[in-house]
Amino acid sequence: MTRILLINANTSDYVTQKVAGVARAVVSPGTEVVAVTGEFGANVIATRTELAIANHACLDLLARYTNEHSERCDAAVIAVSYDVALWAAREMLDIPVIGITEAALLTACQLGTRIGVVMFGPRVLPVYQELAASYGLASRIAGWRGVDTSAPYAAGDQDEADRLAIEAANSLVERDGCEVVVLAGAVMAGVPPRLQAQVPVPLIEGVSCAMLQAESLIRLKPIKPRAGSLAALPARVQVGLSAALTARFKDAP
Amino acid sequence: MTRILLINANTSDYVTQKVAGVARAVVSPGTEVVAVTGEFGANVIATRTELAIANHACLDLLARYTNEHSERCDAAVIAVSYDVALWAAREMLDIPVIGITEAALLTACQLGTRIGVVMFGPRVLPVYQELAASYGLASRIAGWRGVDTSAPYAAGDQDEADRLAIEAANSLVERDGCEVVVLAGAVMAGVPPRLQAQVPVPLIEGVSCAMLQAESLIRLKPIKPRAGSLAALPARVQVGLSAALTARFKDAP
Amino acid sequence: MTRILLINANTSDYVTQKVAGVARAVVSPGTEVVAVTGEFGANVIATRTELAIANHACLDLLARYTNEHSERCDAAVIAVSYDVALWAAREMLDIPVIGITEAALLTACQLGTRIGVVMFGPRVLPVYQELAASYGLASRIAGWRGVDTSAPYAAGDQDEADRLAIEAANSLVERDGCEVVVLAGAVMAGVPPRLQAQVPVPLIEGVSCAMLQAESLIRLKPIKPRAGSLAALPARVQVGLSAALTARFKDAP
Amino acid sequence: MTRILLINANTSDYVTQKVAGVARAVVSPGTEVVAVTGEFGANVIATRTELAIANHACLDLLARYTNEHSERCDAAVIAVSYDVALWAAREMLDIPVIGITEAALLTACQLGTRIGVVMFGPRVLPVYQELAASYGLASRIAGWRGVDTSAPYAAGDQDEADRLAIEAANSLVERDGCEVVVLAGAVMAGVPPRLQAQVPVPLIEGVSCAMLQAESLIRLKPIKPRAGSLAALPARVQVGLSAALTARFKDAP
Amino acid sequence: MTRILLINANTSDYVTQKVAGVARAVVSPGTEVVAVTGEFGANVIATRTELAIANHACLDLLARYTNEHSERCDAAVIAVSYDVALWAAREMLDIPVIGITEAALLTACQLGTRIGVVMFGPRVLPVYQELAASYGLASRIAGWRGVDTSAPYAAGDQDEADRLAIEAANSLVERDGCEVVVLAGAVMAGVPPRLQAQVPVPLIEGVSCAMLQAESLIRLKPIKPRAGSLAALPARVQVGLSAALTARFKDAP
Amino acid sequence: MTRILLINANTSDYVTQKVAGVARAVVSPGTEVVAVTGEFGANVIATRTELAIANHACLDLLARYTNEHSERCDAAVIAVSYDVALWAAREMLDIPVIGITEAALLTACQLGTRIGVVMFGPRVLPVYQELAASYGLASRIAGWRGVDTSAPYAAGDQDEADRLAIEAANSLVERDGCEVVVLAGAVMAGVPPRLQAQVPVPLIEGVSCAMLQAESLIRLKPIKPRAGSLAALPARVQVGLSAALTARFKDAP
């Protein structure tokens, strides 16, 4: 039985359930998805400050779940579109860890040479740009659009949000020559099929891409590095962390 | 039944069989791998001239197979490490197409921030560097090593080739700080498990990565673009091409 | 007597004749231009698939002509704006080889710090961008414009095409601060003088630039590399290629 | 009276005191330095996981101090060499915030075109490289050296550490052509004067640079942005954060 | 007593006085500002040719002043927005030298991730872009605007110039997502406070930034390099230079 | 009769004569080379300060010659390897202007994808790197070597300098994979043929490349820009310049 841990480092269970539903629909029949919600921090991460705090919340959640549960997970997917704590999690854990925006961008690299990105909330535009640059992918992204609505973060009518997303995607195709468009944000899980007919290039989102890549990496079985910045955590002194996180810095028995 | 077309654009059946064996071991139980060998061009591509010709050979093979066989393939994997004709194939076909070196590099992006690449035959070093740069990934690659042996291209003792590859990989880790190492070349299929114990960071190769990504993309079901440089081929006048290729430029009935 | 081989890897003699006329007007009195047309492939290359095939057609034509004719050519110019098989030809031959788009971009580098590019057919925009990036010149190009007409590829009224090209060039100057504009495409040979009066910065095209650079390189007499990816082809096994191409992979007598 | 808040997001008071002593010696007579130590997390940050957690610890400390104390600080300096939570703090606070590594690199930009960086602990090399790249400064850094000793993190004999740092700095000058060398790490505060005589180019460290830049920015008085990703935090729902952090997300009264 | 030499390499005393007034208002009480005007060259530099000549004028002025005056200056600020002769001055002198545009850009790096630049006179746009690129900061600059008025170069009504600058700055914020805006040009000294209320992100200019950084570097006391391209000038043969410049190339006594 | 003005902005006639001899051997029979030596500044430019001054000297020389002589020159070549005042000269004059290092690098782009550069005097290494970066060509240059001898700047035995240059070039080929090597420096004129037999890839130098490109651009006849930073100088107020330079800033009659 393969098991993938799906981390929502936000504290909103609404998003967790939405994302988990899509994730379960994407994975292979034999794969279980264990979805968990953050225990502290923002309901919905939308500022740099919330994002910085979520790094801790995400690692805490990962440590907690992997320490306290008897069933081992085979991979973890971080379902926060800023890919919080992604490389730290790759260091802390010995299973593959996938971030949803990294996953979407890497998939997009296989579908078009010029990638467009649509995100919700113009305030976060620079944050996404910094993230894409941190992956070395800045030159692949030919256009960005920020859509100014928070409708996708709640149940309710999505018509206006859909209309804005379609308009943004088509503008990326027509004005910037994009040949694939990423809808950024965990809440975009499940949305592409609804909009695809009205956009002439592939529309993708990160949760589906990440779940598929998680299953691929589980089958690829890369070793845990024994050298470099992703090698297992050494024993180190910590103060005031949760028992689960503290345990991660103890010598292996 | 899922079916993946595995293209070896070289004309050497030895490499096709080697690669196909590994590919079949990697894919899911329900997936069939159809392996085909190039009909013209180099036995083993190792020069820029052979590579340029292989672009045609690869497309011809793809057109031939997808036109002439009743069973539709769901994706194609180009098992030549220079990813010959990759974007052209993405234009010509309406199924996902994966290149093995692109696949290995994108997978490596998820396993370490600093990627090392080991290749066989120092003559091809610039060609690989141009390929990685064409993917926008030059900044992710922290080191390159060319190993001077052609042993992997034939059956026979691989001890010396293995020793050189291990030495190159460890040098990438120690001197260049690489945290994941790609063994470039279709003939590296199946090799990482044999060498991994002697290298402290993940060793990967492209055929396995590509097969897994092919399965992922089949499940993701991106649409065929209706705009841009990857949209379906328009009707256009061709001279002297195979019937299969020529048919690709006819109006849809 | 200096002799320059002018390769049109398209199969349209119309373009060959147009280009050859301009080329002959540009070269020095003592220089002969031998113009040849592709024997297989697209009438006019306008898709990635046709371009990939043209790599083979171009090398075949180069091999055929240089093998079969008693008069040696002193340089070759590839008059296809995607510079098909350019580096492969530099490997295969021992004379200078020039691509028309590379030639135009390098010349533009001497005429303005910010280069603009106008091309015909918006579908090919990403292909040109990839080509410029492959030359390391992406940062020099301050703007791109795709003009949507195929008029230049045939005889007949060019007024509308001219008007669109002038408009595109002036937009590059005014909106993007370009200080020199390249008209991309072999069929732009001879066009700049007709439009120049209506554009306030230098307008250039590749065929003229390439012919002049070919004459320069003939006089510079660089050696054929004896090391690296451009050294003479080694003897290698080929299958199903033309006699001319096959002969290129035989040991020198 | 000017007051600068000096944040050590590590939980080791030893480093705080060391850094504060140097900071007090650097600032103008009229400037008070208030030094505080992290309340949770690593004694000394040296892994990606500790660094990710420190983002939260740093913001918590900043919120706590600026909320609870009657005397307003005029700027904050984050004295952790990974510049944890730097941009988030710039969003959360309405005073200038300076990171010590950013400060050192920007100062280095004024002292030499080619910058070298020496850091302690080779494991962190990629993390520093990612940080420099995130500032857009990757092209200015001509060489990196990791020195393998933790001696600077404790009182005691520094002779061996000094010797290694001098050797690394001189290697950057001689082999990589560096014209200024940054000693990275908060514990390098106060070290450059001790080593400078043995290195022929300027040696600098971040704490001194940051204190000087903090004083400069206090005098420059940039406004708090009212637009973009650094504008004041909006009211937002948080769960389980400290009272001080929670208060930051309440509407202004 | 600290003394900063403020160089206006233009030959217009109007600009010198304007700049010096702002500089004196910015520096600490104990700092003297010595302002000097160029002895040859353009009244106001606005073309590449004038700028190239100003390199000489600037060095001549620096050599003249520092040789002929008994009071040593502790730093020099080059108050020409093209930062003329900046690195040469850093080689020729043994005190810190600051350029106003470099100073503004480095300060901007601490205030926002995406920097906008407004300049006066569209002709100079490429020159500023080349300057920013030479500092390795091209990727930090998210937008440029050229304002077409020369009003700031003379006394008189600035209303129209102010209106254009505000409009340009706000366009950088709204269309390009800039989070800090630099007003380029020595004549922008003193202008930001007048316009700031109408722009929602920090507006800065180079003279203030440079004076503050000069004071910081004076306190940091970096050594004069003894190696590399910024080491003291060796004795070398010169022809036809001013006595002051010639003296710079004599052996130290 | 075609006439090319060859500018040596150094004040050493030895270099002028050496360079002019090679230039005359390279140009077509019908082309006259007019070689002039700088009237002020360094005997041989080897520091940043000398280089900055040479910008003025070069423009003065260009203005003087083109104003005072009845025979019009058709192009100018700046035979100083730092390409002093290159873009300013392109603005000031209405004929093509070529810099020798730009010429060599652009030619090298046509001969190999990975370029190596050998220069004399390690102090100047960063200056050449900045120059190459300013042309947007940094990514094409795979290796740099500084040779520590000044022998080429005088008559006399060149054996040791030759040996060092050959060693540097071969190291670039073997260790850095360079496929073409540029010998930087005007004094390298005429040297490649002497060393070529001992280096397996093309060795080129700038004077020959520049003369050939000058002849090409004369035949291409690009217009003088009427817009942008290279348009003709407007009338502007100058102080203390030579009559020739001052005349350049007067309104056309």
Side-chain angles (χ1 to χ4, degrees):
Chain A
M1 166 65 97
T2 297
R3 189 176 289 110
I4 299 176
L5 181 59
L6 182 70
I7 295 282
N8 173 20
N10 294 287
T11 50
S12 148
D13 198 56
Y14 170 75
V15 176
T16 310
Q17 293 317 318
K18 185 171 178 189
V19 164
V22 171
R24 289 191 181 106
V26 166
V27 293
S28 302
T31 299
E32 181 188 358
V33 175
V34 181
V36 293
T37 304
E39 308 209 347
F40 61 86
N43 214 250
V44 175
I45 298 168
T47 63
R48 290 179 181 276
T49 302
E50 291 164 309
L51 171 53
I53 295 166
N55 282 287
H56 181 192
C58 179
L59 292 171
D60 192 55
L61 204 51
L62 283 167
R64 223 176 264 267
Y65 189 86
T66 54
N67 287 14
E68 292 169 10
H69 287 69
S70 49
E71 300 97 346
R72 176 180 165 79
C73 285
D74 301 287
V77 168
I78 299 174
V80 175
S81 60
Y82 308 99
D83 293 352
V84 288
L86 180 59
W87 290 101
R90 285 173 174 161
E91 174 191 60
M92 188 176 79
L93 301 179
D94 56 4
I95 54 175
V97 184
I98 321 287
I100 61 171
T101 294
E102 187 194 63
L105 293 175
L106 295 179
T107 298
C109 283
Q110 295 181 301
L111 298 178
T113 58
R114 298 171 66 80
I115 301 169
V117 181
V118 176
M119 77 213 72
F120 289 83
R123 180 170 183 136
V124 294
L125 174 59
V127 183
Y128 278 109
Q129 290 173 320
E130 294 156 26
L131 187 66
S134 81
Y135 296 140
L137 296 174
S139 69
R140 288 297 291 273
I141 302 186
W144 298 88
R145 292 293 183 279
V147 169
D148 201 355
T149 169
S150 61
Y153 291 92
D157 186 350
Q158 301 294 317
D159 286 0
E160 173 69 359
D162 284 0
R163 195 186 59 74
L164 291 170
I166 289 166
E167 188 179 287
N170 282 320
S171 160
L172 286 165
V173 174
E174 285 152 28
R175 297 189 41 190
D176 296 330
C178 294
E179 306 202 326
V180 56
V181 173
V182 172
L183 299 180
V187 292
M188 287 297 102
V191 173
R194 194 166 75 221
L195 314 184
Q196 182 69 76
Q198 296 174 73
V199 177
V201 304
L203 268 186
I204 61 175
E205 57 78 35
V207 174
S208 304
C209 295
M211 296 313 292
L212 292 167
Q213 290 175 8
E215 291 194 274
S216 289
L217 289 181
I218 289 169
R219 286 157 63 193
L220 189 65
K221 297 192 190 59
I223 63 159
K224 171 70 182 173
R226 296 187 308 269
S229 73
L230 302 173
L233 288 174
R236 296 187 60 79
V237 179
Q238 308 296 322
V239 172
L241 301 185
S242 69
L245 268 179
T246 305
R248 290 279 162 185
F249 291 96
K250 297 241 186 301
D251 269 323
Chain B
M1 165 68 95
T2 297
R3 188 176 290 108
I4 299 175
L5 181 58
L6 182 69
I7 295 282
N8 174 20
N10 294 286
T11 52
S12 149
D13 199 57
Y14 170 75
V15 175
T16 310
Q17 293 318 317
K18 185 172 178 189
V19 164
V22 171
R24 290 193 180 105
V26 165
V27 294
S28 302
T31 299
E32 182 187 358
V33 175
V34 180
V36 293
T37 303
E39 308 209 348
F40 61 87
N43 214 251
V44 174
I45 299 168
T47 63
R48 290 178 180 276
T49 302
E50 292 164 308
L51 171 54
I53 295 166
N55 282 287
H56 181 192
C58 179
L59 291 171
D60 192 56
L61 204 51
L62 282 166
R64 224 175 264 267
Y65 190 85
T66 54
N67 288 13
E68 292 169 10
H69 288 70
S70 51
E71 301 97 346
R72 176 180 165 79
C73 285
D74 301 288
V77 167
I78 299 174
V80 175
S81 60
Y82 309 99
D83 292 352
V84 287
L86 179 59
W87 290 101
R90 285 173 174 161
E91 174 191 59
M92 187 178 77
L93 302 179
D94 57 3
I95 53 174
V97 185
I98 321 287
I100 61 171
T101 294
E102 188 195 63
L105 292 175
L106 295 179
T107 298
C109 283
Q110 296 181 300
L111 299 178
T113 58
R114 297 171 66 79
I115 301 169
V117 182
V118 176
M119 79 212 70
F120 290 81
R123 180 172 183 136
V124 293
L125 174 60
V127 183
Y128 278 109
Q129 290 173 320
E130 293 156 26
L131 187 66
S134 80
Y135 296 141
L137 295 174
S139 69
R140 288 298 291 273
I141 301 186
W144 298 88
R145 294 292 183 280
V147 168
D148 201 355
T149 169
S150 61
Y153 291 91
D157 186 351
Q158 301 294 318
D159 286 0
E160 174 68 358
D162 284 1
R163 195 186 59 74
L164 290 169
I166 290 167
E167 189 178 286
N170 282 320
S171 159
L172 286 164
V173 174
E174 284 152 28
R175 295 191 41 190
D176 296 331
C178 294
E179 305 203 327
V180 56
V181 173
V182 172
L183 299 179
V187 292
M188 286 298 102
V191 173
R194 193 167 76 222
L195 313 184
Q196 183 67 77
Q198 295 174 74
V199 178
V201 304
L203 267 187
I204 61 176
E205 59 77 34
V207 174
S208 305
C209 296
M211 297 311 293
L212 291 167
Q213 290 175 9
E215 291 194 274
S216 289
L217 289 181
I218 290 169
R219 287 156 63 191
L220 188 66
K221 297 191 191 58
I223 64 161
K224 172 69 183 173
R226 296 187 306 271
S229 72
L230 303 173
L233 288 175
R236 295 186 61 78
V237 179
Q238 308 296 323
V239 174
L241 301 185
S242 69
L245 269 178
T246 305
R248 289 280 162 184
F249 291 96
K250 296 239 186 303
D251 271 323
Chain C
M1 164 68 94
T2 297
R3 188 175 292 109
I4 298 175
L5 182 57
L6 182 69
I7 295 281
N8 173 21
N10 294 287
T11 52
S12 149
D13 198 58
Y14 170 75
V15 176
T16 310
Q17 292 317 317
K18 184 170 180 191
V19 164
V22 171
R24 290 194 179 102
V26 166
V27 294
S28 302
T31 299
E32 182 188 358
V33 175
V34 180
V36 293
T37 304
E39 309 209 345
F40 61 87
N43 214 251
V44 174
I45 298 168
T47 62
R48 292 179 180 275
T49 302
E50 291 164 309
L51 172 52
I53 294 167
N55 281 288
H56 182 193
C58 179
L59 292 171
D60 191 56
L61 204 51
L62 283 166
R64 223 176 265 267
Y65 189 85
T66 54
N67 287 14
E68 292 168 10
H69 289 70
S70 50
E71 301 98 345
R72 176 182 165 78
C73 285
D74 302 287
V77 168
I78 298 174
V80 175
S81 60
Y82 309 99
D83 293 352
V84 287
L86 179 58
W87 289 102
R90 286 173 174 161
E91 174 192 61
M92 187 177 78
L93 302 178
D94 58 2
I95 54 175
V97 184
I98 321 287
I100 63 172
T101 294
E102 188 195 64
L105 293 175
L106 295 178
T107 298
C109 283
Q110 296 181 302
L111 299 177
T113 57
R114 295 170 68 80
I115 301 169
V117 181
V118 176
M119 78 212 73
F120 289 82
R123 180 169 182 137
V124 294
L125 175 59
V127 183
Y128 277 109
Q129 291 173 320
E130 293 156 27
L131 187 66
S134 81
Y135 297 141
L137 296 174
S139 70
R140 288 298 290 274
I141 301 185
W144 298 87
R145 292 292 182 282
V147 169
D148 200 356
T149 169
S150 61
Y153 291 90
D157 188 349
Q158 301 293 317
D159 287 0
E160 174 68 359
D162 283 2
R163 195 185 60 74
L164 290 170
I166 290 166
E167 189 179 285
N170 282 321
S171 159
L172 286 165
V173 174
E174 286 152 27
R175 295 189 41 191
D176 295 331
C178 294
E179 306 202 327
V180 56
V181 173
V182 173
L183 299 179
V187 290
M188 287 297 102
V191 172
R194 193 166 78 221
L195 314 184
Q196 182 67 77
Q198 296 173 73
V199 178
V201 305
L203 266 186
I204 61 176
E205 60 78 33
V207 173
S208 305
C209 295
M211 296 311 293
L212 292 166
Q213 289 174 11
E215 291 195 275
S216 289
L217 288 181
I218 290 169
R219 287 156 63 193
L220 188 66
K221 296 190 192 60
I223 64 161
K224 172 69 182 173
R226 296 187 306 272
S229 71
L230 303 172
L233 287 175
R236 295 185 60 79
V237 179
Q238 306 297 322
V239 172
L241 300 185
S242 69
L245 269 179
T246 306
R248 289 282 161 182
F249 291 96
K250 297 238 186 303
D251 269 324
Chain D
M1 165 66 94
T2 297
R3 188 175 290 110
I4 299 175
L5 182 58
L6 183 69
I7 295 282
N8 173 20
N10 294 287
T11 52
S12 148
D13 198 58
Y14 170 75
V15 176
T16 310
Q17 292 318 317
K18 186 171 178 190
V19 164
V22 171
R24 290 191 181 105
V26 166
V27 293
S28 302
T31 298
E32 182 188 357
V33 175
V34 180
V36 293
T37 304
E39 307 209 347
F40 61 86
N43 215 249
V44 174
I45 299 167
T47 62
R48 291 179 180 274
T49 302
E50 292 164 309
L51 172 51
I53 296 167
N55 281 289
H56 181 193
C58 179
L59 292 171
D60 192 56
L61 203 51
L62 282 167
R64 223 176 264 268
Y65 189 86
T66 54
N67 286 14
E68 293 168 9
H69 287 70
S70 50
E71 300 98 346
R72 176 180 163 78
C73 284
D74 301 288
V77 168
I78 298 174
V80 176
S81 60
Y82 308 99
D83 293 352
V84 287
L86 179 58
W87 289 102
R90 284 172 175 162
E91 175 192 60
M92 187 177 79
L93 302 178
D94 57 2
I95 54 176
V97 185
I98 321 287
I100 62 172
T101 293
E102 187 195 65
L105 292 176
L106 294 178
T107 297
C109 283
Q110 296 181 301
L111 299 177
T113 57
R114 297 170 66 80
I115 301 170
V117 181
V118 176
M119 77 212 72
F120 289 83
R123 180 170 183 137
V124 293
L125 174 60
V127 184
Y128 277 109
Q129 290 172 321
E130 293 156 26
L131 188 65
S134 80
Y135 297 142
L137 296 173
S139 70
R140 289 297 291 273
I141 301 185
W144 298 88
R145 292 293 182 281
V147 169
D148 201 356
T149 169
S150 60
Y153 291 90
D157 187 349
Q158 301 294 318
D159 286 0
E160 174 68 358
D162 284 2
R163 195 185 60 73
L164 290 170
I166 290 166
E167 190 178 285
N170 283 320
S171 160
L172 285 165
V173 174
E174 285 152 27
R175 297 189 41 189
D176 296 330
C178 294
E179 304 203 328
V180 56
V181 173
V182 172
L183 299 179
V187 292
M188 286 297 102
V191 172
R194 194 166 77 219
L195 313 185
Q196 182 67 75
Q198 295 173 74
V199 178
V201 304
L203 265 187
I204 62 176
E205 58 78 34
V207 173
S208 304
C209 295
M211 296 312 292
L212 292 166
Q213 290 175 9
E215 291 195 275
S216 289
L217 288 182
I218 290 170
R219 286 157 63 192
L220 188 65
K221 295 190 192 58
I223 63 160
K224 172 68 182 174
R226 296 188 306 272
S229 72
L230 303 173
L233 288 175
R236 295 185 61 78
V237 180
Q238 307 297 322
V239 173
L241 300 185
S242 69
L245 268 179
T246 305
R248 289 281 160 184
F249 290 96
K250 297 238 185 305
D251 269 324
Chain E
M1 166 66 97
T2 297
R3 188 175 290 110
I4 299 175
L5 182 57
L6 183 69
I7 295 282
N8 173 20
N10 294 287
T11 52
S12 150
D13 198 57
Y14 169 75
V15 176
T16 311
Q17 292 319 317
K18 185 171 177 189
V19 164
V22 171
R24 289 191 182 105
V26 166
V27 293
S28 303
T31 298
E32 184 187 357
V33 174
V34 181
V36 294
T37 304
E39 308 209 346
F40 61 87
N43 214 250
V44 174
I45 299 167
T47 61
R48 290 178 181 276
T49 302
E50 292 164 310
L51 171 53
I53 295 166
N55 281 288
H56 182 192
C58 179
L59 292 171
D60 192 56
L61 203 52
L62 282 167
R64 223 176 264 268
Y65 190 86
T66 54
N67 287 13
E68 292 169 9
H69 288 70
S70 50
E71 300 97 346
R72 174 180 167 78
C73 285
D74 301 288
V77 167
I78 299 174
V80 176
S81 60
Y82 309 98
D83 293 352
V84 287
L86 179 59
W87 290 102
R90 285 173 174 161
E91 174 191 62
M92 188 178 78
L93 301 178
D94 57 3
I95 54 175
V97 184
I98 321 286
I100 62 171
T101 294
E102 188 195 63
L105 292 176
L106 295 179
T107 298
C109 283
Q110 296 180 301
L111 299 176
T113 57
R114 295 171 67 81
I115 300 170
V117 182
V118 175
M119 77 213 72
F120 289 82
R123 181 171 182 135
V124 293
L125 174 60
V127 183
Y128 277 109
Q129 291 173 320
E130 293 156 25
L131 187 66
S134 80
Y135 296 142
L137 295 174
S139 68
R140 288 298 292 271
I141 301 186
W144 299 88
R145 293 292 182 281
V147 169
D148 200 356
T149 170
S150 61
Y153 292 90
D157 187 349
Q158 300 295 316
D159 287 0
E160 174 69 359
D162 284 2
R163 194 185 60 74
L164 290 169
I166 289 166
E167 189 178 285
N170 282 321
S171 160
L172 286 164
V173 174
E174 286 153 26
R175 295 189 41 191
D176 296 331
C178 294
E179 305 204 326
V180 55
V181 173
V182 172
L183 299 179
V187 292
M188 285 298 103
V191 172
R194 195 166 76 221
L195 313 184
Q196 182 69 75
Q198 295 173 75
V199 178
V201 304
L203 267 186
I204 61 175
E205 58 77 34
V207 174
S208 303
C209 295
M211 296 311 293
L212 292 167
Q213 290 175 8
E215 291 195 274
S216 289
L217 288 181
I218 290 169
R219 286 157 64 194
L220 188 66
K221 296 192 190 59
I223 64 160
K224 173 70 182 172
R226 297 187 308 271
S229 73
L230 302 173
L233 288 174
R236 296 186 59 80
V237 179
Q238 308 296 322
V239 172
L241 300 185
S242 70
L245 268 180
T246 306
R248 289 280 160 184
F249 291 95
K250 296 239 186 302
D251 270 324
Chain F
M1 165 66 95
T2 297
R3 190 175 289 109
I4 299 175
L5 181 58
L6 182 68
I7 296 282
N8 173 19
N10 295 287
T11 52
S12 149
D13 199 57
Y14 170 74
V15 176
T16 311
Q17 293 319 317
K18 184 171 179 190
V19 164
V22 171
R24 290 192 181 103
V26 166
V27 294
S28 302
T31 299
E32 182 188 358
V33 175
V34 180
V36 294
T37 303
E39 307 208 348
F40 61 88
N43 214 250
V44 174
I45 298 168
T47 62
R48 291 179 180 275
T49 302
E50 292 164 310
L51 171 53
I53 295 166
N55 281 289
H56 182 194
C58 179
L59 291 171
D60 192 57
L61 203 52
L62 282 167
R64 222 176 264 268
Y65 189 86
T66 55
N67 287 13
E68 292 169 9
H69 287 71
S70 51
E71 299 99 346
R72 175 180 165 79
C73 284
D74 301 287
V77 168
I78 299 174
V80 176
S81 60
Y82 309 100
D83 292 352
V84 287
L86 179 59
W87 290 102
R90 285 173 174 161
E91 174 191 61
M92 188 177 79
L93 302 178
D94 57 3
I95 53 175
V97 185
I98 321 286
I100 60 171
T101 294
E102 188 194 62
L105 292 175
L106 294 178
T107 298
C109 283
Q110 296 181 299
L111 298 177
T113 57
R114 297 171 65 80
I115 301 170
V117 181
V118 175
M119 76 213 72
F120 289 82
R123 180 171 183 137
V124 295
L125 174 60
V127 183
Y128 277 109
Q129 290 173 320
E130 293 157 25
L131 188 65
S134 81
Y135 296 141
L137 296 174
S139 69
R140 287 299 291 272
I141 301 186
W144 298 87
R145 293 292 183 279
V147 168
D148 201 355
T149 169
S150 61
Y153 292 90
D157 186 350
Q158 301 294 317
D159 286 0
E160 174 69 359
D162 284 1
R163 195 185 58 74
L164 290 169
I166 290 166
E167 188 178 287
N170 283 320
S171 159
L172 285 165
V173 174
E174 285 152 28
R175 296 191 39 191
D176 297 330
C178 294
E179 305 203 326
V180 55
V181 173
V182 172
L183 299 179
V187 292
M188 286 298 102
V191 173
R194 195 166 76 222
L195 314 184
Q196 182 68 76
Q198 295 172 74
V199 177
V201 303
L203 265 185
I204 62 176
E205 60 76 34
V207 173
S208 305
C209 295
M211 297 311 293
L212 291 167
Q213 290 175 8
E215 290 195 274
S216 289
L217 288 181
I218 290 169
R219 287 158 63 194
L220 188 65
K221 296 191 191 60
I223 64 160
K224 173 70 181 174
R226 297 187 306 272
S229 72
L230 303 173
L233 287 174
R236 296 185 60 79
V237 180
Q238 306 297 322
V239 173
L241 300 186
S242 70
L245 267 180
T246 305
R248 289 280 162 184
F249 290 96
K250 297 239 186 302
D251 270 324

